[in-house]
Amino acid sequence: MGKLWTLTKMDFSILTHSMSIGRSGSGKKQMAGLGLVGLLGLLMVYMSVVYSIAMGQLMAQYGVLDMMVPMMMLLAVVMELMFTLFAAQGLVFSGNDSDLMLALPVPAMAVVLGKVLALYLENLYMTVLWMLPVGIFYGLNGGPAGVGFWLRYLPCIVFMPLIPALLSLLGGWVLALTASRVKHRALVSNLISMLLMVAALVGAMQINRIAALILDKADQVRGLFHTWLLPAGLLG
């Protein structure tokens, strides 16, 4: 267990440092990586507050406030998948240190599991910063806000990062497989990254239309949200 935790911390540090640009191993790169992680956290909190206020007011007005939390969970999954897709490709499937790590006197399963846990921790970090404001504004708009709600809500936050983590692993495997079959790997990765950013921007601009569509088909969407597809079913 101690070796697994050490590997997880090492891989999480690699994920942090990979967000910065600079000479490998330099102190400036480490500080830049930590700064970008903090900036990402602030971005998640800001976007969560903005969307929570808008979603809460709209859904409370139409009497479907119970759909606010599942909807925000879905948005969080999409956001986290965008941020961790290439991290999964680089860390798990294309890591330069994979051969070295596998040569260490530790089980190969522990090496792989450490990478997966590091990816989960990155998603958990973003999930906590996104979902805590959601729970607060859900209560401020008339939703449950007592101890019983939070006792069900917090386990949702813990389990929810498994969804983007697993999806990013699948997407990272596809990207790594695609990159291994083409000549211009960097160009392909940059194009896919740009497409994801454009898709996110288009989706953000269409959020009002998406919300209207959900309100028109509230019963069907509610049934979909409260299934095993999202941990929202734990909320009852």
Side-chain angles (χ1 to χ4, degrees), residues 137-189:
F137 283 99
Y138 180 61
L140 292 176
N141 281 282
V147 176
F149 167 77
W150 284 97
L151 288 177
R152 299 192 304 273
Y153 189 66
L154 292 178
C156 290
I157 295 178
V158 173
F159 285 109
M160 197 184 111
L162 293 173
I163 301 174
L166 293 175
L167 290 176
S168 62
L169 284 172
L170 178 61
W173 175 76
V174 173
L175 288 176
L177 182 64
T178 303
S180 66
R181 298 175 182 272
V182 298
K183 295 181 180 180
H184 306 287
R185 300 180 183 180
L187 178 60
V188 173
S189 296

Side-chain angles (χ1 to χ4, degrees), residues 36-51 79 83 125-126 129-130 197:
L36 286 174
V37 170
L39 183 61
L40 174 61
L42 290 176
L43 177 64
M44 296 296 289
V45 172
Y46 171 76
M47 294 187 66
S48 176
V49 170
V50 171
Y51 279 107
M79 292 286 296
F83 282 113
Y125 168 71
M126 291 186 285
L129 295 178
W130 180 276
M197 291 299 297

Side-chain angles (χ1 to χ4, degrees), residues 4-208:
L4 176 60
W5 177 239
T6 301
L7 290 171
T8 302
K9 290 192 295 183
M10 184 184 304
D11 290 322
F12 187 77
S13 177
I14 292 173
L15 282 175
T16 301
H17 297 163
S18 66
M19 297 181 66
S20 62
I21 300 174
R23 187 172 58 186
S24 177
S26 66
K28 290 184 178 180
K29 181 175 181 180
Q30 294 179 5
M31 293 302 297
L34 292 175
L36 286 174
V37 170
L39 183 61
L40 174 61
L42 290 176
L43 177 64
M44 296 296 289
V45 172
Y46 171 76
M47 294 187 66
S48 176
V49 170
V50 171
Y51 279 107
S52 294
I53 293 175
M55 287 284 184
Q57 293 176 349
L58 180 64
M59 293 186 173
Q61 179 180 355
Y62 286 91
V64 290
L65 186 63
D66 61 303
M67 295 174 59
M68 173 185 170
V69 172
M71 185 64 187
M72 293 298 291
M73 283 184 175
L74 184 60
L75 289 175
V77 169
V78 174
M79 292 286 296
E80 292 169 25
L81 182 59
M82 288 180 53
F83 282 113
T84 58
L85 180 61
F86 289 94
Q89 177 198 4
L91 178 68
V92 180
F93 300 102
S94 303
N96 296 326
D97 62 337
S98 296
D99 293 337
L100 176 62
M101 299 287 286
L102 291 173
L104 296 176
V106 293
M109 180 59 69
V111 174
V112 176
L113 189 57
K115 295 178 181 293
V116 174
L117 286 176
L119 193 64
Y120 166 79
L121 289 177
E122 185 180 21
N123 281 281
L124 179 62
Y125 168 71
M126 291 186 285
T127 298
V128 170
L129 295 178
W130 180 276
M131 293 306 299
L132 285 181
V134 173
I136 294 172
F137 283 99
Y138 180 61
L140 292 176
N141 281 282
V147 176
F149 167 77
W150 284 97
L151 288 177
R152 299 192 304 273
Y153 189 66
L154 292 178
C156 290
I157 295 178
V158 173
F159 285 109
M160 197 184 111
L162 293 173
I163 301 174
L166 293 175
L167 290 176
S168 62
L169 284 172
L170 178 61
W173 175 76
V174 173
L175 288 176
L177 182 64
T178 303
S180 66
R181 298 175 182 272
V182 298
K183 295 181 180 180
H184 306 287
R185 300 180 183 180
L187 178 60
V188 173
S189 296
N190 290 334
L191 287 176
I192 294 176
S193 179
M194 290 178 60
L195 289 174
L196 288 175
M197 291 299 297
V198 170
L201 290 174
V202 172
M205 291 186 293
Q206 298 294 323
I207 190 65
N208 291 333

